[in-house]
Amino acid sequence: MQTWAGPGVLVLPLIDQDAVDLAGLTAWVRAHPQAAPDAVGFVADEETLTAVRELRAAVRALFARAVRPGEPSPADAARLLPAPEALRRLNTAAARTPTVPVLYWDDVVRHQAAGAGEQLVAVLARAAIGFLAGPDRRRLRARHAPRCVRYFLKEHPRQEWCEPSCGNRARVARHHARHHEGG
């Protein structure tokens, strides 16, 4: 199980979701209160779901570019957006909701949305920008297990997989290929 702080705490788990639907997005936002101002009462609608899916596709394309010279996740490589389109989508999403700084008495300044609307997508896009522009980007790696489109942060030099089950799937696939090639 990986732990990290910073923008990746929002971006990586959402990008890793395989099938986001209305119920799944609602549950994810409620479980991540930093994702939206009213996360506890958040209910996803079709427009927000579509925007999150578009953002997710853009971030996956940029993650694939960020892991270079390594290969992107093989299961995702054929459907990646071109980098200019991915950057356009990400930057457009980040600009959706203007924010204002709000000072709290505990000397913390938080940027909050100036109005309701597309706050979630803007927060996620800004977190992706912060992650891709930050130091953790160098630790980003693509998973190479069969049919896997996920990314992870490499915690130590010998780490090849995000979790043991990912490595097990790859070893089983290699074994199967070796023993079933000849017929």
Side-chain angles (χ1 to χ4, degrees):
M1 178 82 161
Q2 292 211 341
T3 58
W4 57 81
V9 77
L10 272 182
V11 177
L12 289 171
L14 183 64
I15 297 306
D16 276 355
Q17 281 192 334
D18 289 324
V20 173
D21 57 16
L22 290 172
L25 181 58
T26 297
W28 186 89
V29 171
R30 289 179 179 181
H32 296 84
Q34 70 275 40
D38 186 23
V40 174
F42 178 83
V43 177
D45 58 26
E46 287 294 335
E47 184 179 342
T48 303
L49 178 61
T50 298
V52 168
R53 285 178 175 162
E54 289 177 2
L55 175 62
R56 199 173 69 170
V59 173
R60 278 189 173 158
L62 296 171
F63 276 16
R65 188 175 175 101
V67 299
R68 286 182 183 169
E71 295 294 319
S73 293
D76 212 20
R79 56 184 171 173
L80 294 172
L81 292 172
E85 173 62 14
L87 287 168
R88 186 195 65 74
R89 281 189 190 185
L90 178 64
N91 291 326
T92 298
R96 282 186 162 168
T97 306
T99 60
V100 296
V102 177
L103 177 65
Y104 290 83
W105 193 246
D106 57 1
D107 292 332
V108 174
V109 175
R110 295 184 184 103
H111 289 267
Q112 296 183 341
E118 300 168 319
Q119 300 166 7
L120 172 66
V121 177
V123 167
L124 293 172
R126 289 178 183 170
I129 289 169
F131 176 80
L132 289 166
D136 282 340
R137 173 181 168 173
R138 290 186 295 279
R139 297 187 307 129
L140 185 68
R141 299 293 185 271
R143 290 183 178 181
H144 289 284
R147 300 175 308 280
C148 189
V149 297
R150 296 179 178 179
Y151 292 85
F152 69 98
L153 292 180
K154 188 171 185 168
E155 298 291 336
H156 57 81
R158 295 188 57 192
Q159 181 180 359
E160 294 183 44
W161 312 104
C162 58
E163 54 192 30
S165 62
C166 192
N168 288 341
R169 281 193 306 276
R171 283 186 285 278
V172 167
R174 281 195 308 265
H175 174 80
H176 186 269
R178 273 194 312 266
H179 290 87
H180 292 91
E181 280 180 351

